[in-house]
Amino acid sequence: DYFETIKQYALWMINNGLAYMDDTPQEQMQKERMDRQHSKHREQSPSEAMEYFKLMCSGKEDGKPWCLRAKMDMSSDNGTLRDPVLYRQNTTPHHRSGTKYKAYPTYDLACPIVDSIEGVTHALRTTEYDDRNAQYQNISKMLGLRRVRIQTFARMNFMYTVMSKRKLTWFVDTGRVTGWDDPRMPTVRGVSRRGINIDALKKFMCSQGASRRIVNMEWSKFWAENKKEIDKYAKRFM
């Protein structure tokens, strides 16, 4: 819904000298960021950057190597502030906008903009995004966006259980499980098929709070909460 709005913010950054276009190969860019070296394109003029931005957005092969990077602080100890990539070409048709756009904003640029526009007061982010919180706030400040408070919390982990969506996708794609609702999957649909009561699931989640402490939960505690809820209406026979 906000692709055009985000694009206008990107153009504003270019016109105000806050971002530049870069065609540095990925491996070299990573090395430069590790070594805290500026890109050779960092001091390009806004007009030159605008031309490359249009080329990138055209979807042409010549525009594929180019990406938009923010001018932040290449000397920062926080790696996410070393001129992060904000926009890059992607010609894959979008499931809603089709082929209207040939380049898209990265998560790092889209989040602070969309959160501010939609009236989000507190952005809830797990602790693995701690390093990116400074970047989130930096982009908000650069664009003059309404301030959004960041509330971090630890992601939920269970003993002997893979929780990563990327890794769980592998199980689904390779046919190791019947789908996301397989009873063996640690998903809402999976545990629902296994017999979890939705009210018990809600109570369990609320009982965890918003702690930043990373813990590995036991499944026995999860199912104990389910038993308490089912006991309220389960019939018993002698």
Side-chain angles (χ1 to χ4, degrees):
D1 294 340
Y2 298 103
F3 285 149
E4 193 59 38
T5 301
I6 298 172
K7 184 178 180 180
Q8 293 306 313
Y9 273 111
L11 293 173
W12 183 87
M13 291 182 73
I14 293 174
N15 286 324
N16 286 273
L18 300 175
Y20 61 97
M21 295 297 293
D22 194 4
D23 67 345
T24 304
Q26 187 175 7
E27 291 185 4
Q28 184 181 339
M29 186 185 296
Q30 290 177 345
K31 185 178 186 303
E32 289 178 351
R33 294 183 71 187
M34 288 291 291
D35 296 339
R36 309 187 186 196
Q37 295 178 353
H38 287 169
S39 166
K40 61 183 179 182
H41 295 292
R42 200 174 198 270
E43 300 306 321
Q44 69 187 183
S45 65
S47 59
E48 186 180 1
M50 191 66 72
E51 289 300 317
Y52 287 127
F53 185 82
K54 291 178 180 177
L55 178 62
M56 176 188 71
C57 292
S58 70
K60 295 179 180 178
E61 191 66 24
D62 292 345
K64 189 174 183 179
W66 293 93
C67 65
L68 180 69
R69 296 179 65 182
K71 287 185 180 179
M72 290 193 184
D73 184 4
M74 286 296 286
S75 63
S76 174
D77 290 333
N78 186 338
T80 67
L81 297 180
R82 298 175 197 161
D83 292 6
V85 174
L86 303 181
Y87 235 96
R88 56 165 50 99
Q89 188 184 101
N90 186 345
T91 55
T92 303
H94 191 269
H95 67 284
R96 289 184 63 183
S97 58
T99 57
K100 181 179 180 180
Y101 299 101
K102 303 295 192 306
Y104 295 91
T106 60
Y107 182 90
D108 296 328
L109 176 63
C111 276
I113 294 175
V114 174
D115 285 350
S116 181
I117 292 174
E118 293 199 333
V120 173
T121 57
H122 293 70
L124 306 180
R125 292 155 71 96
T126 49
T127 50
E128 62 256 39
Y129 287 101
D130 278 353
D131 287 344
R132 294 188 176 276
N133 289 343
Q135 182 196 83
Y136 180 104
Q137 293 167 340
N138 203 318
I139 291 176
S140 295
K141 187 175 181 180
M142 290 171 75
L143 297 175
L145 300 171
R146 178 183 56 82
R147 184 190 176 195
V148 176
R149 293 182 179 275
I150 297 175
Q151 177 66 46
T152 57
F153 63 96
R155 62 180 295 172
M156 182 171 292
N157 297 306
F158 280 94
M159 297 290 286
Y160 312 114
T161 306
V162 173
M163 300 294 286
S164 167
K165 290 190 290 294
R166 177 175 54 81
K167 294 179 180 178
L168 290 175
T169 299
W170 178 84
F171 284 98
V172 176
D173 291 343
T174 57
R176 262 68 173 184
V177 294
T178 57
W180 290 99
D181 60 349
D182 190 296
R184 295 168 291 179
M185 292 284 278
T187 59
V188 174
R189 292 168 63 190
V191 295
S192 294
R193 281 193 63 193
R194 197 167 179 176
I196 190 70
N197 180 284
I198 297 301
D199 289 333
L201 178 60
K202 291 179 180 178
K203 287 183 179 179
F204 178 80
M205 295 305 300
C206 289
S207 68
Q208 303 312 304
S211 172
R212 290 173 51 87
R213 184 166 172 247
I214 300 174
V215 296
N216 289 314
M217 302 292 297
E218 295 280 357
W219 278 105
S220 57
K221 294 180 180 179
F222 180 81
W223 293 111
E225 191 66 47
N226 194 49
K227 184 176 182 296
K228 290 179 186 177
E229 197 64 29
I230 292 176
D231 277 346
K232 296 177 183 179
Y233 57 83
K235 295 181 179 180
R236 286 170 172 75
F237 300 94
M238 294 296 290

